[in-house]
Amino acid sequence: MRCVRELHKPAFHHELVKRLIVAAIDVPRREQELAVGLVQRMVTEEVLSPEQLCLGRQRAAEGAEDLRLDNPRAPELIADFLERLPG
């Protein structure tokens, strides 16, 4: 989290959320829960604003159909992951 803060680029934090969501569809449930915990902590510690979280969630959802080529269940996996995120 310190690394994200030290980047001083909050305008790109939504991209971190999007990439985290996309990466999480290919890992076991335990690792997904760790990713959810990271996002929750980033929101709690105000590293990630609610607006950035919302935009990251939106961008991941928009790209779900494109990911279907790599993983046919991508849209439902992303939807499931989004349900567990804060906000």
Side-chain angles (χ1 to χ4, degrees):
M1 192 156 9
R2 186 184 83 227
C3 295
V4 174
R5 193 176 281 132
E6 288 175 356
L7 286 173
H8 301 292
K9 298 290 183 190
F12 294 102
H13 288 179
H14 70 278
E15 187 66 24
L16 174 69
V17 173
K18 176 189 151 206
R19 289 178 185 228
L20 185 69
I21 294 167
V22 169
I25 67 171
D26 291 324
V27 298
R29 185 78 170 195
R30 170 72 180 132
E31 292 167 5
Q32 290 179 7
E33 293 305 323
L34 292 171
V36 169
L38 175 63
V39 172
Q40 288 173 334
R41 186 166 174 206
M42 290 175 70
V43 170
T44 300
E45 294 188 18
E46 298 180 352
V47 172
L48 185 64
S49 73
E51 293 81 15
Q52 293 159 335
L53 175 60
C54 183
L55 184 56
R57 292 169 61 116
Q58 178 183 345
R59 296 273 169 90
E62 289 170 354
E65 284 300 318
D66 293 337
L67 294 172
R68 189 185 290 270
L69 295 171
D70 297 324
N71 185 336
R73 293 185 56 224
E76 73 182 71
L77 294 170
I78 287 176
D80 176 61
F81 190 79
L82 290 174
E83 287 178 16
R84 292 184 276 148
L85 286 178

